[in-house]
Amino acid sequence: GQQLNQSPQSMFIQEGEDVSMNCTSSSIFNTWLWYKQDPGEGPVLLIALYKAGELTSNGRLTAQFGITRKDSFLNISASIPSDVGIYFCAGLRGRVTFGTGTKLQVIP
Amino acid sequence: NAGVMQNPRHLVRRRGQEARLRCSPMKGHSHVYWYRQLPEEGLKFMVYLQKENIIDESGMPKERFSAEFPKEGPSILRIQQVVRGDSAAYFCASSPPDYPPYGYTFGSGTRLTVV
C-alpha cells in the first residue's frame, strides 16, 4: 500500500530557530496536505498543495510540493512555543494517506 | 476542530464488550471518514461513508468492526468483542459533497481504552 515517511521523527529546537521537515512517498500524489496535531486533539489543516513545484505560505509556514510529486517539505520560521505538536504530511490520491509524523518540541 | 463532534471523548471497555463511537459531521457535510491512531503513530484510514452508503472500507478490519452513516443521526463506528489491541484514538473527519477530502475537518477524537 501507499506509505509516507516523514523525517525527522522528532526534533528539539530553541525558540526562534527555523524548522524543516520532509515527507517522501513510494507513490505519486495529486495533492499534498500538511496537518498539525496538538496533544489530545484532532489534526488541523495547515497548508494544501495542488501542483508539482508549488510553493505556498501560511504565515510563518511554507510548504512545497516536490517536482517528482513523491515528496513535500514544510518549513516553520522563527519558531515559538505554541508550534509544539505533531506535524503530519498527507497525500491525496483517491483518499488521504497520512505520514508517520514529526514531533516538534520548542525550548523557550 | 470546531463543528465535527465526536463522543464520547474517552471510553473504557472491558475485553469482550462492545464499543460504539459517534461522529456528528459539520452542518452541510455529507462525507464522513474514520481514522485510527495508535500511540506515537500516524492516522490510519479505516472507512469512508456517505449518507446510507459505505464508499471505501478498505482500511477496516474484516471482523468485529463495522460503520454506518444513516440518513438521520450521527455516523457510528462499532467495535464488537473489543480486545486490548483496539485501544487507540479514533478520529472522524467530514467534508461537504463538493470538497472531498481537500483538507477535511477532523473531530477531537474518541480515546478507547480496553482493560
Side-chain angles (χ1 to χ4, degrees), chain B residues 6-78:
Chain B
Q6 288 189 250
N7 65 82
R9 284 295 301 265
H10 300 274
L11 181 62
V12 179
R13 284 287 176 266
R14 294 187 184 281
R15 278 180 295 171
Q17 290 185 320
E18 178 179 283
R20 286 179 141 235
L21 288 62
R22 292 175 196 77
C23 169
S24 297
M26 284 183 72
K27 190 176 179 182
H29 286 195
S30 56
H31 295 224
V32 165
Y33 313 81
W34 285 93
Y35 283 78
R36 175 164 64 176
Q37 185 176 34
L38 294 170
E40 306 298 318
E41 291 190 12
L43 289 88
K44 296 284 194 293
F45 170 80
M46 298 182 75
V47 62
Y48 163 32
L49 309 108
Q50 295 176 19
K51 287 277 186 185
E52 300 185 282
N53 280 311
I54 297 175
I55 306 303
D56 179 355
E57 58 181 346
S58 57
M60 286 278 270
K62 293 284 183 275
E63 296 175 351
R64 302 186 298 108
F65 285 72
S66 62
E68 61 177 11
F69 188 16
K71 190 176 178 183
E72 302 290 337
S75 174
I76 306 283
L77 179 68
R78 183 184 292 116

Side-chain angles (χ1 to χ4, degrees), chain A residues 37 40-42 50 95-96, chain B residues 9 35 37 102 104 108 111:
Chain A
Q37 185 177 28
E41 296 297 329
Y50 303 113
R95 57 179 166 84
V96 175
Chain B
R9 284 295 301 265
Y35 283 78
Q37 185 176 34
Y102 291 80
Y104 43 51
S108 296
R111 276 138 195 90

Side-chain angles (χ1 to χ4, degrees), chain A residues 32-61:
Chain A
W32 283 92
L33 307 164
W34 283 92
Y35 286 84
K36 182 191 177 206
Q37 185 177 28
D38 290 326
E41 296 297 329
V44 174
L45 180 69
L46 299 174
I47 291 182
L49 301 153
Y50 303 113
K51 215 164 63 170
E54 180 182 350
L55 188 73
T56 296
S57 292
N58 177 8
R60 294 179 296 107
L61 277 59

